[in-house]
C-alpha cells in the first residue's frame, strides 16, 4: 500500500497504542499533534490503562476538526440563536397620481398633442346648449409621453339629444370600430385611452 493512498503517516512508539476507528479522517494538524503526543507520552514501562487513556484522548480531540478527503465526522452541537435584529425603517407610502385638469367645451375643439399643463389625464366637460360641435382627437403617433393619454369626455349641459357632439380621430387612427363617435344621449360620458401600439382610441 502506498502512502499516497491515505495521504497520512503516523509514527507509533507506544506498544499499547489503540488505533481509533476513525483515524483516517484526522486532519493534517491533528495527525501532527497526535504523533507528537504519542512520542512525548510514550514509555515502554507505561501501563495499558494510561496508553488507552492517552489514545482515547487524542482520538476525541481530533474528531472535533477532522474532515479529510470528503469523509464526514460527527456533527457538532448547534449554537445558540442570535439576537433579533433591529426593525427596519418603514417604507414610504406612495399615493397614486389622481391629478387631472378640467376643460369646458362649448364649440369645435382640437385636443392638442402635447401637454402644457403637466397632466396626461384630461376631463372635457361639454355644454352643447349653443348648438352642435365637434371634438378632434390628436394623432396618437404624434403624442408625447410615448403616445399615452387618458381623456374623459362628459356632458353637463343636458342638450346632447338635440345638439349632438361628434368625436373624430386624426391621421388614420380609429375609435371603437370606426373613425368617429357620436355623443347623442344627455349627460352621457365616455373615457378614452390610447392603444399606442395599434393607433387606436379605446373606449373604457
Amino acid at each position: 500500500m502506498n502512502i499516497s493512498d491515505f495521504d497520512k503517516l503516523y509514527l507509533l512508539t507506544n506498544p499499547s497504542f489503540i488505533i481509533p476507528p476513525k483515524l483516517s479522517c484526522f486532519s493534517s494538524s491533528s495527525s501532527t499533534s497526535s504523533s507528537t503526543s504519542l512520542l512525548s507520552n510514550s514509555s515502554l514501562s507505561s501501563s495499558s490503562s494510561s496508553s488507552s487513556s492517552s489514545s482515547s484522548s487524542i482520538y476525541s480531540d481530533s474528531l472535533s476538526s477532522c474532515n479529510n478527503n470528503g469523509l464526514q465526522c460527527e456533527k457538532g452541537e448547534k449554537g445558540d440563536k442570535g439576537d433579533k435584529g433591529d426593525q427596519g425603517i418603514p417604507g414610504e407610502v406612495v399615493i397614486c397620481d389622481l391629478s387631472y385638469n378640467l376643460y369646458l367645451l362649448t364649440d369645435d375643439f382640437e385636443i392638442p398633442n402635447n401637454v402644457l399643463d403637466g397632466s396626461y389625464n384630461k376631463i372635457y366637460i361639454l355644454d352643447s346648449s349653443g348648438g352642435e360641435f365637434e371634438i378632434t382627437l390628436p394623432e396618437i403617433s404624434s403624442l408625447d409621453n410615448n403616445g399615452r393619454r387618458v381623456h374623459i369626455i362628459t356632458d353637463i349641459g343636458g342638450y346632447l339629444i338635440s345638439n349632438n357632439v361628434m368625436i373624430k380621430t386624426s391621421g388614420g387612427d380609429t375609435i371603437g370600430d370606426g373613425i368617429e363617435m357620436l355623443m347623442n344621449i344627455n349627460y352621457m360620458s365616455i373615457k378614452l385611452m390610447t392603444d399606442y401600439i395599434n393607433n387606436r382610441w379605446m373606449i373604457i
Side-chain angles (χ1 to χ4, degrees), residues 97-115:
D97 181 12
L98 299 178
S99 62
Y100 57 86
N101 291 323
L102 288 171
Y103 297 89
L104 174 63
L105 304 182
T106 60
D107 203 351
D108 291 347
F109 182 75
E110 293 185 5
I111 297 177
N113 61 358
N114 59 343
V115 172

Side-chain angles (χ1 to χ4, degrees), residues 140 172-174 194-202:
I140 294 176
D173 295 342
T174 59
T194 53
D195 172 5
Y196 54 88
I197 296 176
N198 298 303
N199 293 326
R200 174 178 59 185
W201 291 94
M202 299 180 292

